[in-house]
Amino acid sequence: MSTNPTTSISPLRRIARATAPFVVGALVTLVAFMLLCNTLPDRFATHFGLDGKADGYSSPTTALGQYMLVFAVEAAGIAGAGLSIQPALRTVRVLTVFAWGLAGATTYLFIAVMGSLGGADSAQFPLYHLALAAVVGVAVAAAAWAGSRRQS
């Protein structure tokens, strides 16, 4: 039994569906941070140039706060989009799948940064991680699409 793809979804439910991926991403990043916090340097690389060398630093807890802020901004943007789209189930599904992909890619990047840090002065972040983040985002989005097709 499938739901009509033009069925309306309430604004609150649209926002909840669209922002849930960022809550999950933030929680996964927080867990990874807690697991890695004893191995992180005091001066945490948070920005990298095109050559992959660190050129911006923060304390680990400040970096975690910045990561959570990125998730909040992404969630707010998607929530705004969720309020402005047509409330049809199909439209909400597409937005939600996009949100899962974006949250998956963002989570991968943050965990990859934490996992690839050596000493603060030698921190490197190879650019192939950007391609891997895109692959992770597409894979997460595909899984979300498959899951949403099964539910509707």
Side-chain angles (χ1 to χ4, degrees):
M1 302 205 164
S2 106
T3 304
N4 182 351
T6 60
T7 301
S8 262
I9 298 177
S10 73
L12 184 59
R13 194 159 175 212
R14 276 185 274 164
I15 291 172
R17 279 187 177 196
T19 58
F22 302 104
V23 173
V24 172
L27 289 174
V28 169
T29 301
L30 179 62
V31 168
F33 179 85
M34 290 169 50
L35 293 172
L36 295 170
C37 68
N38 291 333
T39 65
L40 298 175
D42 292 335
R43 197 169 142 223
F44 192 90
T46 55
H47 190 270
F48 298 85
L50 291 176
D51 59 356
K53 292 184 181 174
D55 62 5
Y57 301 91
S58 297
S59 71
T61 52
T62 300
L64 179 64
Q66 292 169 344
Y67 294 168
M68 296 302 116
L69 181 61
V70 169
F71 282 117
V73 168
E74 289 177 343
I78 292 292
L83 287 174
S84 67
I85 63 172
Q86 294 180 2
L89 180 60
R90 182 176 299 147
T91 309
V92 173
R93 180 183 298 137
V94 170
L95 181 66
T96 302
V97 166
F98 174 79
W100 277 108
L102 179 59
T106 302
T107 302
Y108 171 83
L109 284 174
F110 291 158
I111 293 172
V113 166
M114 287 187 280
S116 68
L117 294 177
D121 295 329
S122 64
Q124 289 271 59
F125 191 71
L127 289 180
Y128 68 80
H129 282 295
L130 296 176
L132 288 175
V135 169
V136 167
V138 168
V140 170
W145 181 258
S148 70
R149 300 288 289 181
R150 227 177 293 130
Q151 290 176 356
S152 54

